[in-house]
Every structure is written in C-alpha cells, then in structure tokens.
Amino acid sequence: MKSLVLEKKDELSLRDFPAIDRVEERLGARDVRIRLHTVGICGSDVHYYTHGRIGPFVVNEPMILGHEASGTVIETGAEVTTLKVGDRVCMEPGIPDPNSKATRLGMYNIDPAVRFWATPPVHGILRPTCVHPEAFTFKLPDNVSFAEAAMVEPLAVGVHAATKARVKPGDIGVVLGAGPIGLVTALAALAAGCARVYVGDLAPKKLEIAESLSSAIIGVNVARENLVERVKRDTDGWGADVVFEATGSPRAAAGVFEPLAPGGCVVMIGGQPDPISYDAGAAMVREARVENIFRYAHVFPRCVAMLNSGAIDVKPLITRTFDFDDSVRAFEIAASASPADVKMQIVLPQ
C-alpha cells in the first residue's frame, strides 16, 4: 500500500506502509472505506515536512501526510444508511470523541481527544484508501468535481471564520494574507454578506488571483500601499467592520486592529508558532470583539451546498496538480513557497 511518508524532518518517501493496514483500516459498522482521488497540500503538511513539528505536535516516527481529500466509497459498514458504494465524497478529517464534553456541547473541533489526519501520531490520507466514519463523510453533488471537493476542507476554515465573525449584509471586510486560507475566507465573507473585501499581501500574483475571484475583492499590495490608509480612505475614516488575520505573521497580528472600525470584530485564523502580542488598548477603544478559530465545526455541508449552487467558486485557487508518483516533488515545490501558487493538489491512481 504505497503512501507518501514523512520519514523525518526534510525527508519524504513514496513507499509501502503495511502498518496502516493493521491499525487504521478496520471497517466498523458505521464506517465507510474510501478510495482516495484528490488530496490537497496544506500549509500544515508542508510545515511538518520542513520543521518536523507544529507546536506540541511532533513527528517522532514516520507519518503519512495529507488531510484535504475527496474520493469514492468502495465499501460500507453494516449500519451505514446515508452512503453507498460508488458515492463520490469529501471527508472532514477530524474525528472527535463522541462522549467528550466538547462534543456534547457542539464544539467537537476543540475536543482535546480529536484525532485529526496528518497530525502526529495520526496518519494522513496520501494513500490509496482510508476508513472513515459515515458521520464525517459527505456525498458530493454531480456538478462538484473531486478537485473542488478536496477544497472543502480549507474552505471550511473560511466559512467557520465568517460564521464566528457574524458578518452582516453590507459589511466591509479585510483579509490579511492571500494564501489559500485568506482567499477562501474572502470568498466566505462575501457569501456571508460583505459588500466589499480588501485582501492584503506581498505577492502580486496572489493578489491578481484574489481580484479575479470577484469584483467585490480589492487586492492591496502592502509593499507598495498602506492597507490601513486605503481602507480608511474608502470608508470615510470609519474602517472595516471585520478583519480576518490569515497570515500567521506576528507583525500582521500586532497591527490587526488598525484598519478596524469601532465596534468591529477581529478573527484570528493564522496559526502562530509562538506567543504573539497585539495592542489591547487599540482593541479597547474600539470595543472590538476578538474571535479565535480552531479548524471548523458544522460547516462541511454548507461548503458543499455553496459549491453546488455556485455561490462560491474555488476552481481559480487550484493552481497546480500533480500525479501521485510526483508527490515528493510536489512537496519540494510547495516548500519553496512559489508566489504564483495558491493551492496544489495531488491526484491518486484510480
């Protein structure tokens, strides 16, 4: 069973991984077996590759990468009722403890016991097949492709962020960062009701892609233009109703309240490897509401529905596709942080 294995920091291999058969491939009564089709390369996958850890999650032994996926059901457990063999699906990669307090309160994404693909010691899904609970597997409409379906996972982050922001029709939004998460957040903010969204970044190509997504998205090259001044000028000095921090940069986080209007909301999305500081006084005088998100909850069906209706189009974000046999090279390119790339995906043999 050939898989893309992170052997250790800076070392990837495409090889058989027999242990996965014994440990994670047993089909339960409410599980489905899925043949993987398309898997996206996430920034966290690349970070594990280049750094060997993210915060407390350390790669201490070989681990299969990948958690943004779509595929086809090839077997169902005895008690599965909503899916059948042949169904095209996407999968939510975090499996919580159904009996935990967080899960019972509806906050399953912050269950301390959640098992999340490609987060040590849990293996990811850059492999031919996986077994997954029916409850976290979602059937795809006919007009949603495998490539689009593999974008549901990052899109879910943006939709969760817009939901936590409580976006209202006509709001002005700012997204700091034009990477994959920043751009899906901009799309989600528009779908939630924002009249206009400013996206700030240093990469001209990413900003070009951002502006191609909607006439309501305004790209701002922060190397050439002051984002805060632009937003204030365009809003008669008032500022943006909601600011999404999607860079993971301490410098960006430090100034996150500057473009915010009084009474506005800041949503912290970007992962911070170390503690950061921001201006609590700037937040106080605005009576700013600050939201933090960790992955997502209860939004996968919404994402699939928006792709189905055309309310959100993620196809322009998919900038490069690789065959499974080229997975190692794909990660090497992803690690180089090409300014022209947004989302890279890997297609597995069928």
Side-chain angles (χ1 to χ4, degrees):
M1 189 174 188
K2 190 172 285 189
S3 306
L4 182 67
V5 181
L6 177 60
E7 307 288 357
K8 59 183 179 180
K9 178 179 174 291
D10 294 325
E11 184 180 328
L12 289 168
S13 65
L14 204 56
R15 65 174 175 88
D16 288 337
F17 203 85
I20 202 75
D21 295 325
R22 299 193 303 270
V23 178
E24 297 191 14
E25 288 296 282
R26 299 167 188 157
L27 187 74
R30 295 183 179 178
D31 294 335
V32 292
R33 192 181 309 276
I34 300 158
R35 181 174 67 241
L36 280 307
H37 187 287
T38 302
V39 179
I41 299 177
C42 177
S44 65
D45 295 318
V46 175
H47 199 85
Y48 280 124
Y49 168 46
T50 57
H51 292 76
R53 67 181 299 156
I54 296 177
F57 300 104
V58 182
V59 180
N60 291 316
E61 56 188 26
M63 179 183 77
I64 299 171
L65 291 172
H67 64 264
E68 304 175 359
S70 62
T72 304
V73 175
I74 57 174
E75 186 180 0
T76 62
E79 297 178 14
V80 170
T81 60
T82 63
L83 296 168
K84 64 183 186 302
V85 171
D87 281 345
R88 300 163 59 254
V89 294
C90 63
M91 299 80 81
E92 188 166 346
I95 306 172
D97 175 359
N99 298 311
S100 73
K101 185 170 184 177
T103 300
R104 288 185 284 112
L105 289 172
M107 304 181 294
Y108 63 85
N109 56 314
I110 53 174
D111 172 18
V114 68
R115 292 177 56 80
F116 197 91
W117 281 337
T119 301
V122 182
H123 291 292
I125 38 71
L126 272 163
R127 47 186 160 111
T129 66
C130 71
V131 168
H132 205 57
E134 174 190 21
F136 291 90
T137 304
F138 304 92
K139 184 177 178 179
L140 301 175
D142 291 341
N143 66 330
V144 175
S145 68
F146 285 115
E148 292 170 282
M151 287 292 296
V152 169
E153 197 277 342
L155 176 59
V157 176
V159 172
H160 188 50
T163 302
K164 292 292 288 286
R166 303 177 207 160
V167 173
K168 302 181 299 298
D171 275 354
I172 303 300
V174 169
V175 176
L176 305 178
I181 297 301
L183 294 184
V184 295
T185 299
L187 288 171
L190 289 178
C194 275
R196 192 163 68 247
V197 177
Y198 295 83
V199 176
D201 202 279
L202 294 164
K205 180 61 179 177
K206 286 186 170 66
L207 293 172
E208 180 183 324
I209 293 172
E211 291 191 321
S212 74
L213 299 174
S214 169
S215 59
I217 293 179
I218 300 167
V220 179
N221 187 330
V222 296
R224 301 174 183 171
E225 184 177 6
N226 187 298
L227 176 63
V228 176
E229 291 178 1
R230 173 65 184 275
V231 172
K232 290 290 184 69
R233 184 172 70 247
D234 290 356
T235 58
D236 296 324
W238 183 248
D241 300 289
V242 59
V243 176
F244 300 93
E245 201 303 289
T247 68
S249 161
R251 181 177 178 182
V256 75
F257 296 102
E258 293 176 14
L260 188 69
C265 177
V266 163
V267 184
M268 304 297 288
I269 306 172
Q272 301 287 347
D274 299 302
I276 61 166
S277 299
Y278 62 65
D279 189 345
M284 182 179 296
V285 297
R286 290 168 172 81
E287 272 203 0
R289 180 166 53 89
V290 181
E291 296 281 358
N292 293 274
I293 71 162
F294 185 61
R295 297 171 181 156
Y296 35 73
H298 310 293
V299 295
F300 260 60
R302 293 173 179 268
C303 294
V304 173
M306 286 189 287
L307 294 180
N308 183 32
S309 70
I312 285 181
D313 182 9
V314 295
K315 293 188 291 294
L317 305 184
I318 304 167
T319 51
R320 210 182 303 206
T321 304
F322 298 84
D323 290 334
F324 187 51
D325 287 342
D326 290 330
S327 295
V328 173
R329 185 171 73 90
F331 267 79
E332 291 170 349
I333 293 171
S336 72
S338 167
D341 282 310
V342 178
K343 176 56 65 178
M344 300 182 184
Q345 293 184 331
I346 294 170
V347 177
L348 284 85
Q350 301 301 301

